[in-house]
Amino acid sequence: MFDAGRKFPSFDKNAISHELDQLSDFSTRLKRDNEKLRTQVTGLERQLQMDRATREDIAEQVKVLGNENIYLKEDLAFFQNLATSNEKDAENISIYHFKLKQGKSPGEYRYSLILLLGRQHTNDFQGKLAFTINLWQNDKKAVMPMPLPNEDSSGVFSVSFKFYHRVERTFKVPSDTVVEGLQVQVFENGTTEAKLTQAVDLSL
């Protein structure tokens, strides 16, 4: 009876030690499994980000191609109309497809236009374009010359072409400025009076 009493506590200690060992092993396995799961989740998150970025890139490419397709169709219609129009025989310079749109970043705007010279104008056109911006700034309406990259702050730059000339550029204004429209004046070298003035509103 005494021996049995002595063995009972010893048996409990061994059992508890065994249980603790099992719990320790189980905890170690759980840690390993959790680490594997974390690695898998991290990999899936990265893959998801890559897939999302890929989808965004594809969507952006589709948008760019769609815009290019629109421009090509407009150009095709422009030249088809030009081929059957009497304006090609005029001497004066003309402006076509004058557009102003918001750019990708805040305060950025993009404009484009086509200058067309009449067929009777035998010499190359040598002149300048002057742009002014119609805008709101500090709750006040204002008109200011458009600064251009690598040009002076007057917003004037030179052009030279034989038949037609495409102009596509971007410009930036302060973030607190709201652009409403753009005006262009065409000057021929040697003259101070604009041969042509045209304005366009911002396309929404």
Side-chain angles (χ1 to χ4, degrees), residues 2 6 12 14-15 21 49 85-86 96 124 126-127 132 139 146 163 166 185:
F2 178 76
R6 292 179 60 186
D12 280 349
N14 291 335
D21 289 341
Q49 291 174 354
S85 173
N86 291 328
Y96 291 88
D124 291 1
Q126 306 281 343
T132 52
D139 296 327
M146 181 178 64
F163 180 49
R166 182 190 298 277
Q185 290 181 298

Side-chain angles (χ1 to χ4, degrees), residues 14-151:
N14 291 335
I16 291 173
S17 177
H18 180 69
E19 290 292 334
L20 289 175
D21 289 341
Q22 287 185 327
L23 288 174
S24 178
D25 292 341
F26 184 65
S27 175
T28 301
R29 288 198 302 272
L30 284 178
K31 289 179 180 178
R32 287 199 300 265
D33 292 343
N34 286 344
E35 189 63 32
K36 289 181 180 178
L37 287 174
R38 289 193 192 98
T39 302
Q40 291 176 355
V41 169
T42 301
L44 290 173
E45 288 178 346
R46 290 176 179 173
Q47 184 63 43
L48 182 60
Q49 291 174 354
M50 292 174 61
D51 291 344
R52 184 180 294 114
T54 300
R55 288 196 299 270
E56 291 175 353
D57 288 343
I58 293 175
E60 182 64 24
Q61 291 175 12
V62 170
K63 182 179 179 181
V64 170
L65 291 174
N67 291 335
E68 289 180 355
N69 183 263
I70 292 174
Y71 293 147
L72 289 173
K73 287 182 178 179
E74 289 178 348
D75 287 350
L76 177 61
F78 166 70
F79 287 111
Q80 285 176 338
N81 292 334
L82 185 63
T84 59
S85 173
N86 291 328
E87 292 184 12
K88 63 185 178 182
D89 296 323
E91 185 177 353
N92 293 330
I93 190 170
S94 304
I95 295 176
Y96 291 88
H97 296 317
F98 190 17
K99 297 179 181 180
L100 174 64
K101 297 181 179 181
Q102 284 187 314
K104 295 181 179 180
S105 60
E108 182 183 77
Y109 294 85
R110 182 178 186 84
Y111 68 92
S112 61
L113 59 87
I114 295 177
L115 297 171
L116 177 66
L117 194 61
R119 183 174 294 179
Q120 292 183 8
H121 202 294
T122 56
N123 298 323
D124 291 1
F125 180 83
Q126 306 281 343
K128 299 180 183 297
L129 301 182
F131 289 90
T132 52
I133 309 170
N134 299 317
L135 51 82
W136 283 87
Q137 192 172 44
N138 298 325
D139 296 327
K140 294 181 180 179
K141 196 167 186 177
V143 177
M144 63 175 289
M146 181 178 64
L148 298 169
N150 303 321
E151 302 288 345

Side-chain angles (χ1 to χ4, degrees), residues 160-178:
S160 175
F161 61 96
K162 179 69 175 179
F163 180 49
Y164 79 96
H165 181 70
R166 182 190 298 277
V167 179
E168 290 185 78
R169 293 200 179 192
T170 59
F171 65 92
K172 298 200 71 172
V173 296
S175 57
D176 61 345
T177 301
V178 178

